[in-house]
Amino acid sequence: MARSTVSLPVFCLLLLLSFDSRILLELAKGQGKTWCVAKPSTDDATLASDINSACNDLGSLGLNCSQIQPNGACFEPDTLINHASVAMNSYYQAYGRQEHQCHFSGSGLITISDPSYGNCQYV
Ligand SMILES: *[C@@H]1O[C@H](CO)[C@@H](O)[C@H](O)[C@H]1NC(C)=O
């Protein structure tokens, strides 16, 4: 009878890894792209300030937040949480996806799944 190809210590390590979301996030970042969105629990004042700071900073790079302006691809749904997520992600991508660039006073959340929807592309 063939023995299992995965030894017990390796199995335990894999089990440990699979329960540590930080390690999973590190693995995901090594393999592909990550995105930054606003934490759903964030209050409106913080979301508004996140939008302002992200968009002002993008402006200094020659970029902009036109996608969350009326007629922009990400304007709908016209909510602060949606607009903040798009703006925060643009900022995070523009600066090379460093973890601290999705901090936003604790209101940012790095995700390993692409938040794009419809014509709104989280690039
Ligand atoms: C915003 O940036 C996009 C993409 O770089 C560009 O096509 C557009 O003209 C810019 N809009 C403004 C108002 O600067």
Side-chain angles (χ1 to χ4, degrees), residues 78-92:
D78 182 10
T79 59
L80 283 172
I81 186 94
N82 176 51
H83 292 177
S85 292
V86 172
M88 289 157 75
N89 179 65
S90 294
Y91 177 92
Y92 176 68

Side-chain angles (χ1 to χ4, degrees), residues 62-66:
L63 300 172
N64 62 56
C65 282
S66 60

Side-chain angles (χ1 to χ4, degrees), residues 3 10 20 28 32 41 58 61 65-66 71-72 80 84 90 105 111-112 115:
R3 280 178 56 116
V10 170
D20 189 325
S41 58
L58 286 169
L61 294 180
C65 282
S66 60
N71 299 321
L80 283 172
S90 294
S105 316
T111 173
I112 59 171

